[in-house]
Amino acid sequence: MRILLVEDDRRVTAVMTSMLQRRGYEVEHAATATAALAAAPCDLVLLDLNLPDGDGVDVCRALRARSEHLGIIAVTARGEERDRVTGLRMGADDYVVKPFSMAELQARIEALLRRAVRHVPPREAVEVGPLRIDHAARTVLLRGRPVSLTRKEFDILASLARQPGVVVTRERILLDVWQTTWSGRHTLEVHVASLRAKLDEPNLVQTVRGVGYRLRTD
């Protein structure tokens, strides 16, 4: 999960970056409006409205014009009602007033990403290597043989199948399957172990140590 942090205060940037990275997010930083608008695509933007070279509200408007699906949370010291209303009307999905707790920000990030997950359009059946995964029927065939999976096991496999051959982080899978990044590493590992046992195909679901899992495509 890639987050663009738009913040000109170095101390705030260091604290927020450290906290977000500990929670498994990839963080890119932009200290100005110009840098924010030039940044690479991301999943979510944490946007300070007080920037040295422009108004964050204008940045918010420009980012929203580019994508209606991008998550934007205004993180700012502007706490007046008119400021919150303006930010939301210009395209922010949520508004957090400084100072705030990291727990509150984490909850708001997860709530926003849950809405994004729900808006992912359903996919038809896909074939990945020896697997055929039917999302509508929630069935799995391995070399033509039906594989009986629990709901969580199917959702984990479907999450990996969205990007076959690509490493999917633990946090992304937790968000897809449990709609949170706080379910815990052990919970995911137990379900992946059960999924592997049922598939009974060596190295089909591969572990990338310290990062996540990958679905083999060959």
Side-chain angles (χ1 to χ4, degrees):
M1 188 62 57
R2 191 164 180 274
I3 292 178
L4 172 62
L5 173 60
V6 185
E7 172 62 63
D8 66 324
D9 187 302
R10 292 184 179 181
R11 184 183 63 81
V12 174
T13 296
V15 171
M16 290 184 64
T17 298
S18 176
M19 289 182 175
L20 290 167
Q21 288 176 339
R22 285 205 300 269
R23 284 162 172 79
Y25 298 111
E26 178 185 346
V27 181
E28 179 176 348
H29 173 240
T32 64
T34 302
L37 294 175
C42 60
D43 299 296
L44 185 143
V45 178
L46 299 178
L47 175 62
D48 184 9
L49 300 184
N50 297 312
L51 298 172
D53 63 336
D55 194 325
V57 171
D58 295 328
V59 176
C60 183
R61 184 191 295 113
L63 292 174
R64 178 57 66 221
R66 293 180 184 177
S67 172
E68 63 181 58
H69 302 296
L70 174 65
I72 303 175
I73 300 178
V75 183
T76 178
R78 298 183 188 178
E80 297 294 329
E81 181 181 11
R82 63 178 180 272
D83 294 317
R84 295 196 298 270
V85 170
T86 299
L88 293 170
R89 284 179 175 171
M90 290 303 101
D93 297 289
D94 204 347
Y95 200 103
V96 182
V97 178
K98 299 176 182 177
F100 55 86
S101 71
M102 195 61 200
E104 177 189 1
L105 181 61
Q106 174 73 22
R108 291 178 183 272
I109 290 173
E110 290 186 356
L112 182 55
L113 294 177
R114 279 198 299 271
R115 293 198 293 271
V117 168
R118 285 198 294 269
H119 283 91
V120 174
R123 301 178 65 191
E124 298 179 354
V126 295
E127 294 188 1
V128 181
L131 288 170
R132 187 177 192 276
I133 304 168
D134 190 323
H135 291 80
R138 295 184 67 83
T139 58
V140 176
L141 298 179
L142 176 63
R143 304 189 191 283
R145 172 180 61 84
V147 181
S148 178
L149 301 178
T150 66
R151 181 168 63 88
K152 294 298 187 188
E153 290 164 357
F154 181 90
D155 289 343
I156 291 171
L157 186 61
S159 179
L160 295 173
R162 289 193 186 103
Q163 302 180 79
V166 176
V167 179
V168 182
T169 65
R170 292 187 179 90
E171 289 72 26
R172 177 73 254 181
I173 299 172
L174 288 170
L175 187 64
D176 286 345
V177 178
W178 282 273
Q179 285 75 57
T180 180
T181 59
W182 286 94
S183 287
R185 175 177 175 177
H186 182 66
T187 299
L188 178 57
E189 288 179 345
V190 169
H191 282 83
V192 169
S194 178
L195 172 62
R196 282 173 168 155
K198 290 182 178 180
L199 293 174
D200 194 24
E201 180 86 7
N203 295 320
L204 185 58
V205 177
Q206 301 173 333
T207 298
V208 179
R209 189 176 298 277
V211 182
Y213 300 94
R214 174 174 51 214
L215 187 60
R216 197 187 74 217
T217 58
D218 59 321

